[in-house]
């Protein structure tokens, strides 16, 4: 009897019902889902639960996630993202279709340095670009479609909570640096596809170039906000010393042992936090009371995301102890399914779950079984991880329950249902196909 698969099914049902039907938080849903999976251990349930909690507490991914959560909070609170968008607006705003281009680049920048949620991505960039688009000839529905479609870049580019979750599930099958680089390349593919879509929308809808005399000159925007761009060093420096020519040089130096212990998922958020604090020091609290309120705002993020990640890791430990990998092998063994068809089935499954759930919640629920299934079918573990992340990044564009759709529609004044079909055609389907092609090795990503 496939106990682990049944436990996984119950886990998924509990999460969806508790979050989507009962409308409670995903953190609560994950706790209840964890408890539900432990019941399948029978008389060993208390021991299995205790071991899973200990394993989650010792997991490096958990501590990296804590750093990522605070990093995202600090970047937003210090206004770093707002100042980056001001530079992008000045540099790209006068191009034909400029507001949509700014939204795309800004969403990519937020994904690369803040790792925020897709819904938050849509809100942060869209509040500026949405009204700007509708004012310069874009229809409300098209503007909302672009904003919601671009929101997926929050999860498509590293670092992100989704990436951290999948690295935790993959364990020794992949390295953090290899996932970071491969996901970055996959994210660039997504970015380029979005830019092509904007060019198509501009031509199809007859969007004209509009000169806005009130727009800040590029030189002035850069002069005021250039220190903000230093935040990208928080990602560039750790990646450079772990991969590439500089890493090879350091490997032969007296610093070789120290460099070998550098963890991307630890040092990227730490450096971005330090740079953000230095660049945005004027926005930091001054008094103990202000610091208490500031840290209190961060604490709410830990409850929402930290609890989700902790119990997702703990639930995955329980499913592993129940024999999930063996159950998948027994299920797939007798079946003669081509690898490409299995990838399509898994991808469709992930995209379907990502409809009502966020990308991080989706991967918490089905990331492990999706990975085990693809690896069992002979897909390279790294390619499997990247493909699953690409599938889950469609969350922002997946109707009808995606938060990004309703945020974008609220900003632009569009009817949400007017965006459903365009989002599926222009954003969900292309990135679903991209994920399939990456898993099959047809679209290349670096394998290191």
């Amino acid at each position: 009897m496939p106990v682990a698969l049944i436990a996984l099914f119950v886990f998924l049902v509990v999460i969806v019902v508790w979050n989507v039907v009962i409308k409670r938080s995903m953190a609560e849903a994950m706790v209840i889902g964890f408890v539900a999976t432990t019941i399948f251990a029978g008389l060993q349930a208390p021991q299995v639960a205790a071991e899973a909690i200990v394993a989650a507490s010792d997991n490096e991914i958990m501590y990296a996630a804590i750093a990522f959560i605070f990093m995202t909070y600090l970047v937003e609170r210090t206004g770093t993202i707002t100042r980056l968008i001001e530079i992008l607006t000045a540099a790209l705003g006068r191009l034909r279709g400029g507001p949509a281009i700014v939204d795309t680049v800004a969403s990519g920048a937020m994904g690369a340095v803040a790792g925020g949620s897709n819904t938050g991505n849509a809100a942060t960039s869209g509040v500026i670009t949405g009204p700007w688009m509708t004012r310069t000839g874009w229809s409300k529905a098209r503007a909302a479609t672009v904003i919601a479609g671009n929101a997926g870049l929050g999860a498509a580019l590293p670092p992100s909570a989704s990436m951290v979750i999948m690295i935790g599930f993959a364990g020794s099958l992949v390295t953090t640096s290899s996932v970071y680089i491969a996901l970055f390349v996959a994210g660039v593919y997504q970015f380029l596809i979005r830019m092509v879509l904007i060019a198509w929308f501009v031509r199809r809808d007859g969007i004209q170039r509009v000169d806005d005399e009130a727009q800040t000159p590029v030189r002035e925007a850069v002069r005021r906000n250039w220190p903000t761009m230093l935040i990208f060093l928080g990602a560039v420096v750790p990646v450079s010393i772990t991969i590439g020519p500089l890493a090879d040089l350091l490997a032969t130096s007296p610093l070789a042992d120290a460099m070998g212990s550098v963890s991307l998922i630890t040092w990227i958020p730490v450096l971005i936090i330090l740079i953000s604090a230095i660049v945005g020091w004027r926005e930091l609290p001054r008094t103990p009371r202000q610091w208490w309120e500031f840290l209190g705002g961060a604490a709410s993020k830990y409850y929402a995301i930290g609890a989700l990640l902790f119990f997702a890791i703990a639930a995955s430990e329980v499913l592993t102890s129940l024999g999930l990998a063996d159950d998948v092998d027994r299920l797939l063994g007798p079946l003669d399914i081509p690898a490409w068809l299995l990838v399509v089935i898994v991808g469709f499954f992930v995209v379907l779950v990502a409809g009502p759930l966020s990308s991080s919640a989706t991967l918490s629920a089905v990331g492990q079984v999706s990975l085990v299934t693809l690896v069992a079918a002979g897909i390279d573990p790294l390619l499997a991880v990247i493909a699953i992340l690409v599938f889950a990044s469609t969350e922002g564009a997946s109707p009808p329950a995606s938060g990004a759709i309703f945020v974008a529609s609220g900003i632009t004044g569009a009817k949400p249902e007017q965006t459903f079909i365009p989002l599926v055609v222009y954003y969900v389907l292309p990135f679903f196909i991209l994920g399939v092609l990456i898993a099959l090795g047809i679209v290349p990503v670096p394998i290191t």
Side-chain angles (χ1 to χ4, degrees), residues 13 89 131 162 190 193 201 242 246 312 342 368 391 397 441:
V13 169
T89 299
S162 301
Q190 290 208 37
I193 291 172
F201 294 151
T242 54
L246 180 59
L342 189 62
Q368 184 184 32
F391 294 143

Side-chain angles (χ1 to χ4, degrees), residues 280-297:
W281 66 272
R282 289 187 177 87
E283 307 300 326
L284 294 176
R286 294 288 185 271
T287 66
R289 181 181 180 84
Q290 290 174 340
W291 272 108
W292 180 259
E293 293 174 352
F294 180 84
L295 295 176

Side-chain angles (χ1 to χ4, degrees), residues 40-89:
F40 288 86
L43 296 177
Q44 300 298 316
Q47 180 182 346
V48 169
E51 291 174 351
I53 290 175
V54 170
S57 302
D58 291 340
N59 197 311
E60 179 194 13
I61 301 301
M62 193 62 228
Y63 297 99
I66 292 173
F68 273 110
I69 293 168
F70 188 75
M71 175 193 78
T72 301
Y73 177 74
L74 185 66
V75 167
E76 292 173 351
R77 283 293 301 267
T78 56
T80 301
I81 292 299
T82 302
R83 289 192 287 273
L84 278 175
I85 292 177
E86 184 177 340
I87 294 175
L88 295 173
T89 299

Side-chain angles (χ1 to χ4, degrees), residues 71-72 76 110-121 151 153-156 159-161 359:
M71 175 193 78
T72 301
E76 292 173 351
M110 283 187 283
V113 299
S117 70
N118 291 343
T119 302
N121 203 339
L153 284 169
S160 68
S359 56

